[in-house]
Amino acid sequence: MNQEVVKVILECKQDIWSKKDKELFSLVEDFFENSLQTLDFCNALEKCLKRAREKLVVVKSAMTYFEEEKLQIRKQKLDKKLKSLKTLRRVSNCIFVAAFVSVLIFSVVAAAIAAPPVCSKRPTRSNQFNAGWYLHTLVDLNNIRARIDQLDIKIESMLQTADFALRNEDAV
């Protein structure tokens, strides 16, 4: 109810009601007064609830921003770890390939060193046999060298392919 309307009603009716029944008029007047106070209370409560809703929106927005920022920081840390692990994997692969190639080369060198000498001062039948064996060994060593070169080419190709795949994976 509008307060002004209530006042007008009370002023207009006061003359009529005051003559007939003062108790009834007093009761109606108290009713209107209590209604006005209740209305004021409800209006104040409504304003308070509106402010609470507005503050709730601000708090929710701040919480969302904080959570997003926290997730972004966590993502950055995980990205750094991932990059570090990828680098470690590349280094490990390179070390493994280098070790493998080194072992292979050392095996060939050890076999060459273990081979008996090819010629001696005097040609004998056994020296001639050794010379034939030496030539056969040289052919075998040349074949091994050619295969090592092929293996080096394949390893280099695999490393380039792996690097290419890792770079493309980083881009994705």
Side-chain angles (χ1 to χ4, degrees):
M1 263 195 232
N2 193 345
Q3 291 180 357
E4 294 173 14
V5 173
V6 172
K7 287 181 184 179
V8 169
I9 292 172
L10 287 176
E11 288 173 5
C12 293
K13 300 287 182 174
Q14 186 174 9
D15 292 336
I16 299 169
W17 289 6
S18 62
K19 294 177 184 173
K20 292 184 179 179
D21 191 2
K22 286 195 174 209
E23 285 183 27
L24 181 60
F25 179 73
S26 175
L27 183 62
V28 170
E29 190 175 39
D30 287 343
F31 171 75
F32 281 128
E33 187 62 35
N34 286 337
S35 295
L36 289 175
Q37 289 176 357
T38 303
L39 183 63
D40 289 342
F41 173 76
C42 288
N43 287 336
L45 182 62
E46 184 180 17
K47 288 179 184 177
C48 182
L49 289 174
K50 282 182 182 178
R51 282 191 302 234
R53 281 188 203 114
E54 291 170 357
K55 300 298 180 189
L56 180 64
V57 169
V58 170
V59 168
K60 281 185 177 181
S61 175
M63 286 178 61
T64 302
Y65 176 76
F66 176 73
E67 288 173 354
E68 287 175 358
E69 187 173 323
K70 193 174 178 181
L71 287 175
Q72 186 65 25
I73 291 170
R74 182 172 170 92
K75 182 184 178 293
Q76 288 173 350
K77 286 180 182 178
L78 290 175
D79 285 345
K80 285 180 184 178
K81 284 183 181 181
L82 180 64
K83 185 177 180 183
S84 172
L85 287 174
K86 285 181 179 180
T87 303
L88 180 62
R89 185 174 71 187
R90 286 180 186 158
V91 169
S92 298
N93 286 342
C94 289
I95 290 172
F96 174 75
V97 168
F100 178 76
V101 170
S102 297
V103 167
L104 191 62
I105 291 172
F106 287 138
S107 297
V108 170
V109 170
I113 290 174
V118 175
C119 39
S120 61
K121 294 181 182 179
R122 291 183 278 163
T124 63
R125 197 147 187 77
S126 67
N127 284 348
Q128 289 173 355
F129 176 74
N130 283 340
W133 181 85
Y134 177 74
L135 290 176
H136 182 67
T137 304
L138 283 179
V139 170
D140 287 345
L141 286 176
N142 283 335
N143 288 339
I144 291 173
R145 180 175 294 134
R147 291 192 180 182
I148 289 174
D149 290 341
Q150 289 174 351
L151 181 64
D152 280 340
I153 291 170
K154 287 182 181 180
I155 289 173
E156 184 64 31
S157 173
M158 288 177 8
L159 285 174
Q160 288 176 356
T161 303
D163 283 341
F164 178 76
L166 288 174
R167 275 186 261 125
N168 286 343
E169 185 178 297
D170 289 342
V172 172

